[in-house]
Amino acid sequence: MSSNISSGAKEIARAVNARECSAREVVEATLARIASVEPQVGAYLSVLEREARDGADALDARIASGERFPLAGVPLAVKDNMALEGTVTTCGSKMLERWVAPYTASAVRSMLAAGAIPVGKANMDEFAMGSSCENSALGVTRNPYDLERVPGGSSGGSAASVAAYEATIGLGSDTGGSIREPAAFCNLVGFKPTYGRISRYGLIAFASSLDQIGPLTRNVEDAALAYDAMAGFDPMDATSVDRAVEPTANALREDLQGVRIGVVKQFDTHKLGNDIDDVYDRALHDLEALGAEIVEVELPTADYGLATYYLIAPAECSSNLARFDGVRYGLRVDGNDVAEMNERSRAAGFGPEVKRRILIGTYALSSGYYDAYYVRAQKARTLVARDFAKAFESCDLIAAPATSSPAFRFKSKSDPYSMYLMDYYTIPMSLAGLPALSVPCGWVTPEGGERAMPLGLQLTAPLFAERALLSAAHAYERATMHASKHPMQIAEVTR
Ligand code: GLN
C-alpha cells in the first residue's frame, strides 16, 4: 500500500484515486491504529467502525466506475457538536448523550462529497465551552505528546486524534479559539476561516455570531484541501456568506517576498517567560528570512477582548441552550409539572461550566442590565474590529502567539478565570470575524515538566483573505518544519 496512517490527505487521495490502495485499506489501517492508541489518548466519544467500512466500500465502488475525489479515502474525525445522520451527536454533554442526529451538517456533508471518510466523533468540552477538554461530561482526552497534559479545547478530541494518527483531518469549531488553541497544544495546523465562510448548518450552536467550523491537520496543505472542500455559500445558514471562494490548495507559496507582517505592540511576549519569548522571536526571524517585512501595529482594545467575549458568548449561549428543555431534544427528567420537568432536566443535563455561562448570559441580557453589559460589549466588539481594520492598513498579516503557554497539566486551571485567560490571544480575532490559524513554531519544556511541548504561531488575515493566510503559513511551515514529527509511539513519547 503506497499510503499509510502518517500520509497527508493529498497523498492518500492520490493513492486511492489511482487505485494503488483502496479506501477500505486506509480505513482498516486507521481503525487498527485507533484500537491500539485509544486506550491512552481517548480522542473519540464514538468510533464509527461500521459506517467507515461501509463508506469506504461505497467510495471504492465509485472510484472503480471512474469517479475521482479530492479527499478520496481521507480518514476524518468529526467534533461531536456536528450532526452526522444516524450517529449519536453528544456535544460532550449528558444532555445529548443519547441524541441521534437526524441529518448531516453541511460542512460534514461537503467533506463526505469530497471523499473523506468519518471514522469517529471526537470528544470536546461540553457545548464547546472550555480550553482543555476537561469540561467534557463524557470522557477524558489526553495530549499525545504527554498523557499527563490536556490536548486543549474545546476541539481537543479532534486535535488529539490527528496528532496521534487516528485521523488525517479533524473538524473543529472555533468560537473564541477552540480550533487554534488545541492545534497549538498538539503541534498541528488549526484554521478558523472568516466568519460565515463555512456553513454552520448542523453545528450545534454555542455563540452563533462567533461560531465557525474549520480543520485541524498535520500540515497546511491538508488544511487548505479541507477548506476548499467546505467553504462556500449555504442557503441553510442565514449567516453564510454569498461570495466567491478562491481555491487555496493550488496557490500555496514557498516564500514571503513582499508580505508585510504586523506584530502587535500590545501582545508583548516578554511576559510569557524567556523560553517562550525566544520561540516567538525566532519565528519572527524565520518570517523575515523568508522575505517578509516585519512592522509594528497596534491593537489598543486588545485587553478588552476577554471581557467582551465573556459577555457576548454567554449571552448567546443562554439563548441557544434554552431549547434543551427536556421536551424536544435529549435528556428528560420527569417532574410534577412542566416547570419542574424543565428544571430537573436542565439541572441533570448540564455541567457546571455550562450552567455558569447560562447564568451569566441570562443576567447580562435581563432588563435593566442589557444596556450596561450586552450593548456595551457589542460596542467594544465594534472597536476591536476597527482596530484590526486600522492595523491592516499597514500590514498584510498579523503574527501573534496562539496561546500564552504550552499544554498544561490536568486540573491545573481550577478557577474559571485562569482557564478563560488561555484565550487572550485568540479572542480578538474571533470578535472581529477574521480568518486566523495556528501553525507549529517550536518547543519549550514547561517548568517541572520533562518533555518538550509544542507552541503555535497565530497568523491572522483581513476578512476573506484565506488564500494569503494559508499561503504564508505554508511558506513558514516549509522553511521551519516544526510539525514534521508526531507521536507514533504514544507510550514512548509519554511516561
Ligand atoms: N475557550 C473559549 C470558551 O470557553 C473558546 C471556546 C470555543 O472557541 N468554542 O468559550
Side-chain angles (χ1 to χ4, degrees):
M1 178 159 102
S2 63
S3 89
N4 58 48
I5 54 167
S6 66
S7 301
K10 192 175 181 182
E11 172 55 18
I12 293 172
R14 189 203 60 73
V16 170
N17 280 322
R19 303 181 71 190
E20 286 169 20
C21 68
S22 63
R24 179 64 186 259
E25 284 172 299
V26 177
V27 160
E28 292 301 338
T30 304
L31 291 175
R33 174 70 179 172
I34 291 172
S36 87
V37 302
E38 262 305 87
Q40 289 147 290
V41 179
Y44 291 115
L45 291 172
S46 51
V47 178
L48 306 172
E49 291 186 34
R50 183 179 51 77
E51 294 86 346
R53 290 190 169 111
D54 290 351
D57 289 346
L59 186 80
D60 285 329
R62 290 176 67 180
I63 289 172
S65 67
E67 287 184 75
R68 294 294 174 262
F69 302 85
L71 295 173
V74 172
L76 181 70
V78 179
K79 186 176 181 177
D80 214 17
N81 59 355
M82 293 174 212
L84 175 58
E85 188 179 344
T87 69
V88 176
T89 298
T90 67
C91 254
S93 180
K94 288 206 171 80
M95 186 59 92
L96 292 175
E97 196 170 0
R98 278 179 267 284
W99 185 69
V100 176
Y103 68 106
T104 298
S106 295
V108 178
R109 190 182 285 276
S110 299
M111 292 297 282
L112 295 177
I117 311 282
V119 293
K121 299 298 294 291
N123 196 17
M124 56 182 284
D125 286 297
E126 185 173 7
F127 284 99
M129 298 172 199
S131 306
S132 68
C133 244
E134 292 169 288
N135 291 340
S136 171
L138 303 177
V140 176
T141 301
R142 298 174 180 279
N143 191 310
Y145 286 91
D146 182 343
L147 297 179
E148 292 183 3
R149 292 178 188 271
V150 302
S154 63
S155 312
S158 305
S161 70
V162 175
Y165 297 107
E166 297 178 71
T168 308
I169 296 175
L171 292 188
S173 63
D174 190 312
T175 305
S178 280
I179 291 175
R180 291 161 283 163
E181 191 243 17
F185 281 10
C186 293
N187 207 31
L188 300 174
V189 175
F191 174 37
K192 179 198 93 72
T194 306
Y195 177 76
R197 263 303 198 198
I198 293 176
S199 172
R200 291 186 296 113
Y201 178 67
L203 169 70
I204 297 172
F206 161 17
S208 310
S209 76
L210 296 155
D211 297 342
Q212 177 60 215
I213 290 175
L216 292 108
T217 56
R218 292 187 295 264
N219 61 64
V220 174
E221 186 173 56
D222 286 3
L225 287 165
Y227 170 78
D228 288 351
M230 291 187 288
F233 178 64
D234 179 11
M236 300 302 284
D237 171 2
T239 57
S240 172
V241 177
D242 193 359
R243 178 181 168 130
V245 182
E246 291 174 324
T248 57
N250 60 4
L252 299 172
R253 288 173 53 166
E254 304 287 333
D255 68 67
L256 294 170
Q257 290 304 332
V259 180
R260 295 166 306 164
I261 295 187
V263 175
V264 180
K265 187 172 158 220
Q266 284 76 8
F267 290 168
D268 178 10
T269 51
H270 282 102
K271 60 180 181 227
L272 304 180
N274 284 341
D275 46 351
I276 296 182
D277 186 38
D278 286 348
V279 168
Y280 287 117
D281 243 22
R282 176 73 199 275
L284 294 182
H285 282 120
D286 289 339
L287 292 168
E288 240 176 344
L290 282 160
E293 182 195 344
I294 306 290
V295 299
E296 189 178 87
V297 296
E298 301 227 22
L299 290 180
T301 52
D303 277 350
Y304 298 104
L306 269 177
T308 305
Y309 173 89
Y310 278 100
L311 281 168
I312 292 175
E316 293 184 15
C317 113
S318 73
S319 162
N320 276 326
L321 272 57
R323 76 191 63 174
F324 301 106
D325 55 5
V327 178
R328 283 164 297 176
Y329 308 101
L331 185 78
R332 169 183 297 194
V333 182
D334 281 324
N336 291 319
D337 53 31
V338 174
E340 197 175 85
M341 182 274 289
N342 289 161
E343 217 174 282
R344 287 185 180 175
S345 301
R346 289 169 71 80
F350 292 137
E353 182 60 26
V354 174
K355 285 179 183 156
R356 179 180 299 120
R357 305 254 183 136
I358 291 173
L359 287 172
I360 293 171
T362 305
Y363 182 81
L365 290 175
S366 56
S367 87
Y369 296 104
Y370 184 86
D371 288 334
Y373 293 113
Y374 187 68
V375 171
R376 286 187 84 186
Q378 291 292 11
K379 289 181 177 165
R381 182 177 187 174
T382 303
L383 295 179
V384 172
R386 278 191 202 154
D387 271 4
F388 275 107
K390 180 107 202 315
F392 282 126
E393 286 172 8
S394 55
C395 65
D396 305 301
L397 299 171
I398 288 174
T403 59
S404 43
S405 77
F408 45 89
R409 288 179 197 275
F410 287 95
K411 298 195 167 73
S412 64
K413 308 263 177 227
S414 42
D415 70 295
Y417 186 63
S418 66
M419 190 69 87
Y420 297 171
L421 281 175
M422 290 315 299
D423 307 314
Y424 174 81
Y425 291 106
T426 48
I427 276 176
M429 295 72 181
S430 297
L431 290 171
L434 298 168
L437 58 76
S438 177
V439 59
C441 71
W443 302 83
V444 288
T445 305
E447 224 171 284
E450 287 169 20
R451 295 170 197 289
M453 297 301 290
L455 288 174
L457 174 70
Q458 183 180 202
L459 295 174
T460 303
L463 294 169
F464 305 109
E466 278 87 0
R467 191 170 175 156
L469 178 61
L470 287 162
S471 201
H474 180 253
Y476 175 78
E477 171 188 78
R478 292 290 279 254
T480 55
M481 299 302 281
H482 294 297
S484 56
K485 204 167 134 273
H486 294 277
M488 189 54 81
Q489 303 295 332
I490 300 294
E492 270 177 31
V493 298
T494 57
R495 258 161 284 249

